[in-house]
């Protein structure tokens, strides 16, 4: 794994999942179902958890949603899915948490947006009410600032103060906005502690939608506190744009040791698969060498030397096969997630790259002899030919997993 010096933070525990301190960087996600729909939301929470989301957040935006939360949590328990469910509150969280104590108890953590919890008020009674419920139920809280809903009173005050500075010292509006986000998070955290929450029950986030802005704001936040930080580029967008922008922003920060839990906020295609955001988050961490989640397939991009699509199909089949097997393999075999597999298109880089992987196959390029040497831990072990190459390669993969990774039951028995 990569040697990255993580920033020192307090550690909080969310229904058994540790975040910050020496805990691994945790992957989280959020549902997009109507929370009032118990079965639909529980099903999506289960899908996200099975995909590897270690925390799942649901919006709690009205009374029906608050009423549904305990039933969602019970349904997941019934299905044998253990994943902490976090409530996302805006505007009316103080009312909902007070009126629906079963919801307050069932949630593992509350997300509070300090920019809209006390809108139109001069006091902080609403914020205080939410913290008091958290203290009463001993629940951790994420104070989640978002620049789309930044505390306007605080921003205006800081803009005014900046405007009164001598011209040479004046900052531009972007800088003041970033500072206001940090201030909003830190002041709210200090207030939460004053109202009784422990220091190690607080996570902070300050999400923006620009990559450079996100990097700046998190560097500032990281340098000014030791609360664990939740990272995410808000409204990252759809498809390649969302994946690349999130990866760019999160990678810089994670490489600097900043970030204790992450979410990739992708906009799915209509009826698209919500679990994609979990896979992308895992892939970011695995690509950086921070955590292993799934065996990695190294596949060459193909070129004029591979005029057939055979090797692309094989690479996709193997990736799909690994993804399908992983939930069971992860339970059965210790360390299988660190396995590497290479599927290469021709003789130029095929044998070399295959030798670097745990298992590699070098397919024949155009005009090459129709044979596919297979390498296991750097040694050529066999040559596949004919039209059952895919099946035979997968059989070798299975055999490798069974013979190279210790069954978890044995490990538990010998511990
Ligand atoms: S390994 Fe062969 S087929 Fe793949 S990109 Fe390189 S030269 Fe092209």
């Amino acid at each position: 794994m990569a040697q990255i010096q993580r920033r020192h933070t307090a550690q909080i525990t969310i229904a058994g999942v540790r975040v910050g301190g020496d805990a691994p960087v945790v992957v989280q996600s959020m549902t997009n179902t109507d929370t009032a729909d118990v079965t639909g939301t529980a099903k999506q929470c289960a899908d996200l958890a099975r995909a590897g989301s270690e925390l799942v957040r649901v919006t709690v935006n009205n009374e029906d949603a608050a009423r549904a939360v305990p039933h969602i949590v019970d349904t997941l328990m019934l299905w044998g899915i253990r994943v902490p469910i976090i409530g996302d509150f805006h505007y009316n969280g103080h009312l909902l948490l007070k009126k629906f104590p079963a919801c307050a108890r069932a949630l593992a953590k509350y997300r509070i947006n300090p920019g809209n919890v006390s809108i139109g008020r001069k006091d902080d009674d609403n914020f205080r009410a939410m913290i008091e419920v958290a203290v009463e139920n001993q629940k951790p809280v994420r104070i989640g600032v978002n620049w789309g809903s930044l505390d306007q009173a605080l921003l205006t005050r800081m803009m005014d103060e900046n405007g009164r500075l001598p011209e040479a010292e004046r900052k531009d509006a972007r800088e003041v906005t970033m500072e206001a986000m940090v201030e909003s998070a830190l002041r709210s955290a200090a207030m939460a502690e004053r109202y009784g929450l422990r220091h190690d029950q607080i996570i902070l986030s300050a999400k923006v939608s620009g990559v450079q802005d996100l990097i700046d704001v998190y560097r500032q936040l990281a340098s000014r506190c030791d609360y664990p930080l939740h990272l995410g580029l808000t409204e990252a967008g759809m498809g390649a744009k969302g994946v690349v922008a999130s990866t760019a922003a999160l990678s810089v920060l994670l490489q600097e040791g900043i970030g204790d839990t992450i979410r990739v906020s992708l906009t799915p295609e209509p009826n698209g698969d919500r679990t994609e955001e979990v896979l992308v988050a895992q892939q970011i961490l695995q690509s950086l060498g921070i955590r292993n989640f799934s065996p990695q397939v190294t596949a060459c991009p193909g070129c004029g030397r591979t005029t057939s699509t055979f090797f692309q199909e094989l690479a996709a089949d193997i990736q799909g096969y690994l993804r399908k097997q992983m939930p069971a393999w992860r339970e059965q075999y210790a360390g299988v997630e660190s396995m590497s597999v290479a599927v290469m298109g021709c003789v130029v880089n095929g044998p070399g790259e295959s030798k670097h992987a745990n298992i590699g196959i070098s397919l024949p390029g155009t005009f090459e002899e129709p044979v596919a040497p297979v390498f296991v831990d750097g040694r050529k072990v066999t040559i596949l030919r004919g039209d059952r190459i895919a099946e035979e390669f997968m059989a070798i993969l299975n055999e490798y997993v069974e013979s190279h990774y210790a069954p978890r039951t044995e490990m538990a028995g010998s511990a």
Side-chain angles (χ1 to χ4, degrees):
M1 302 310 297
Q3 296 298 313
I4 294 174
Q5 183 68 42
R6 292 266 303 280
R7 160 180 165 266
H8 172 78
T9 73
Q11 185 169 87
I12 79 162
T13 305
I14 306 163
V17 175
R18 296 177 309 123
V19 176
D22 62 356
V25 179
V26 167
V27 170
Q28 61 175 284
S29 60
M30 187 172 180
T31 56
N32 63 353
T33 51
D34 177 0
T35 306
D37 169 7
V38 172
T39 309
T41 303
K43 188 180 169 312
Q44 195 175 72
C45 289
D47 290 345
L48 291 164
R50 284 194 199 100
S53 186
E54 293 155 307
L55 303 169
V56 176
R57 185 158 40 113
V58 301
T59 188
V60 187
N61 53 339
N62 56 36
E63 297 200 350
D64 288 341
R67 223 174 265 119
V69 163
H71 301 297
I72 293 167
V73 172
D74 287 349
T75 304
L76 288 166
M77 296 263 275
L78 210 65
W79 292 346
I81 304 285
R82 294 191 172 277
V83 64
I85 300 298
I86 299 165
D88 198 58
F89 293 96
H90 301 270
Y91 307 108
N92 56 358
H94 57 292
L95 300 173
L96 296 175
L97 284 171
K98 286 259 182 213
K99 186 164 177 187
F100 297 94
C103 167
R105 281 194 299 274
L107 290 169
K109 177 168 73 102
Y110 313 148
R111 182 272 171 113
I112 305 177
N113 182 341
N116 59 31
V117 68
S118 293
I119 248 170
R121 300 178 67 99
K122 290 211 172 348
D123 58 52
D124 54 26
D125 289 359
N126 294 352
F127 180 81
R128 182 178 192 147
M130 293 186 77
I131 297 298
E132 282 172 355
V133 176
V135 172
E136 190 186 316
N137 289 285
Q138 280 304 294
K139 303 287 181 183
V141 156
R142 169 160 68 92
I143 294 171
V145 179
N146 192 305
W147 82 332
S149 49
L150 178 57
D151 181 338
Q152 290 303 303
L154 174 68
L155 179 62
T156 307
R157 206 163 52 243
M158 289 180 69
M159 286 286 186
D160 288 347
E161 283 165 13
N162 184 58
R164 286 195 290 275
L165 290 174
E167 200 172 338
E169 291 171 33
R170 235 174 268 158
K171 297 169 181 152
D172 65 28
R174 173 188 170 277
E175 266 181 280
V176 180
T177 306
M178 297 301 117
E179 277 183 23
M181 294 191 64
V182 173
E183 276 301 318
S184 176
L186 294 178
R187 287 181 192 196
S188 303
M191 246 192 290
E193 287 196 49
R194 264 205 310 283
Y195 297 148
L197 214 55
R198 292 197 317 269
H199 189 76
D200 65 357
Q201 289 178 311
I202 298 172
I203 294 187
L204 300 184
S205 67
K207 296 191 184 178
V208 294
S209 57
V211 171
Q212 296 295 350
D213 290 342
L214 193 88
I215 294 167
D216 284 353
V217 83
Y218 271 91
R219 279 178 178 159
Q220 277 193 51
L221 200 49
S223 70
R224 292 183 54 188
C225 68
D226 77 339
Y227 295 110
L229 299 182
H230 166 67
L231 294 191
L233 187 72
T234 195
E235 290 104 32
M238 294 185 87
K241 188 268 172 185
V243 172
V244 173
S246 292
T247 305
L250 268 51
S251 296
V252 171
L253 292 164
L254 289 165
Q255 185 68 20
E256 292 177 11
I258 298 171
D260 304 287
T261 166
I262 66 170
R263 179 188 174 211
V264 174
S265 306
L266 295 181
T267 310
E269 301 287 339
N271 301 317
D273 187 350
R274 190 66 165 177
T275 60
E276 193 196 347
E277 66 174 57
V278 178
L279 301 179
V280 174
Q282 290 181 329
Q283 193 60 55
I284 292 172
L285 294 174
Q286 187 148 357
S287 299
L288 287 168
I290 292 175
R291 281 183 75 180
N292 286 327
F293 295 94
S294 184
Q296 297 290 285
V297 177
T298 304
C300 82
C303 67
R305 301 177 70 95
T306 52
T307 43
S308 92
T309 55
F310 180 66
F311 98 95
Q312 293 160 342
E313 284 158 14
L314 185 63
D317 284 353
I318 291 169
Q319 185 80 68
Y321 182 71
L322 290 171
R323 206 166 268 168
K324 190 164 131 266
Q325 293 299 106
M326 261 324 278
W329 279 353
R330 207 180 283 124
E331 298 283 310
Q332 285 173 291
Y333 300 106
V336 67
E337 59 278 3
S338 65
M339 180 171 70
S340 60
V341 180
V343 181
M344 299 297 292
C346 85
V347 74
V348 174
N349 291 324
E353 193 70 61
S354 298
K355 280 183 199 163
H356 290 306
N358 292 119
I359 308 183
I361 184 165
S362 179
L363 294 165
T366 314
F367 306 129
E368 288 177 33
E369 194 188 348
V371 295
V374 174
F375 297 81
V376 172
D377 290 331
R379 277 190 321 109
K380 181 153 73 170
V381 293
T382 187
I383 294 177
L384 303 180
R385 39 173 64 85
D387 48 15
R388 287 187 38 83
I389 288 181
E391 289 86 342
E392 287 172 18
F393 184 65
M394 284 180 205
I396 296 172
L397 253 178
N398 284 343
E399 201 184 305
Y400 186 89
V401 170
E402 283 162 22
S403 59
H404 284 72
Y405 299 98
R408 288 202 187 269
T409 44
E410 263 179 34
M411 288 184 70
S414 61

